[in-house]
Amino acid sequence: TMGDLLHDLNRNAEAYAAYDSSLVYNPENILCLNNYAYSLSLDARDLDKAADMARRAVQTEPQNSTYLDTYAWILYKQQNYKKAKEYIDRALSLTEERGEEFTVDYYIHAGDIYFWNQLPEKALEFVKEVTICKFCEKNLTENGKWYATLPKAQINQLMQDEKFRKDWDPMYGDR
């Protein structure tokens, strides 16, 4: 959406105006509600408004893992860690059940949420996944496909090849 593009360019006031304009036209634009809510959360701004918008998106599409992740992240930002964990768990579970790709954001969000739920070992597992994804994003395959879009099993298989591991430290990631 226009709001997303403007937010990505750090033109936040214009982004929020674009989101608002879109919602005036269609107050039930679930994609806009979700993305607006997530943008607000990234800026740690109007978190109650963000939570309300994200909640509406989840209520409309309760099986949408992206919307569940957004709501979980906003709950985390509001320091509602227990409820945030419920929603990030649903997002991760749905993503896995469907065989969809986990985004780096899912791992980052899950790691933070699990850490603040007194589950540091599990949080570390998510952090390691982020490290693998970030490492793989830096290396393009010969036909230009990002490694981070590959299934985890395929990434792990690639990591068996010495040319992909030469600068890789399993504990700390890319050197």
Side-chain angles (χ1 to χ4, degrees):
T1 67
M2 181 61 73
D4 299 336
L5 294 172
L6 290 165
H7 194 266
D8 289 345
L9 294 171
N10 292 317
R11 294 166 54 183
N12 296 350
E14 293 171 87
Y16 298 139
Y19 288 128
D20 286 331
S21 176
S22 179
L23 291 173
V24 166
Y25 174 73
N26 179 3
E28 300 306 314
N29 182 336
I30 301 305
L31 178 63
C32 182
L33 287 169
N34 179 76
N35 293 1
Y36 192 178
Y38 189 67
S39 293
L40 288 170
S41 76
L42 293 176
D43 299 332
R45 178 177 168 184
D46 296 323
L47 293 176
D48 289 337
K49 177 180 178 177
D52 181 59
M53 290 188 291
R55 185 180 319 105
R56 286 173 53 199
V58 167
Q59 287 172 341
T60 303
E61 292 188 29
Q63 301 298 309
N64 186 313
S65 56
T66 298
Y67 297 169
L68 292 165
D69 171 68
T70 296
Y71 191 42
W73 186 241
I74 293 166
L75 291 167
Y76 163 81
K77 292 283 200 160
Q78 292 178 314
Q79 299 179 354
N80 189 343
Y81 304 125
K82 183 177 178 183
K83 194 169 181 182
K85 183 180 175 301
E86 292 172 23
Y87 281 90
I88 198 66
D89 284 346
R90 283 178 51 195
L92 295 169
S93 177
L94 283 170
T95 301
E96 188 171 0
E97 285 172 17
R98 294 178 182 147
E100 298 171 351
E101 301 303 320
F102 290 89
T103 68
V104 171
D105 287 339
Y106 282 14
Y107 290 127
I108 292 169
H109 297 167
D112 287 344
I113 291 166
Y114 270 72
F115 179 81
W116 285 99
N117 273 284
Q118 319 308 302
L119 298 165
E121 295 84 12
K122 185 66 177 171
L124 183 58
E125 289 177 32
F126 289 118
V127 170
K128 286 180 180 179
E129 293 297 332
V130 171
T131 305
I132 289 170
C133 288
K134 288 293 187 185
F135 170 75
C136 294
E137 282 178 353
K138 290 169 49 178
N139 298 284
L140 295 175
T141 60
E142 291 177 11
N143 59 8
K145 183 174 184 179
W146 289 102
Y147 287 135
T149 65
L150 297 175
K152 181 179 174 183
Q154 198 169 349
I155 291 173
N156 289 337
Q157 184 179 5
L158 284 170
M159 293 305 293
Q160 301 305 312
D161 185 334
E162 183 61 33
K163 76 177 186 176
F164 293 103
R165 289 185 301 141
K166 66 179 177 149
D167 290 326
W168 179 258
D169 184 301
M171 182 68 173
Y172 300 105
D174 194 15
R175 293 183 217 188

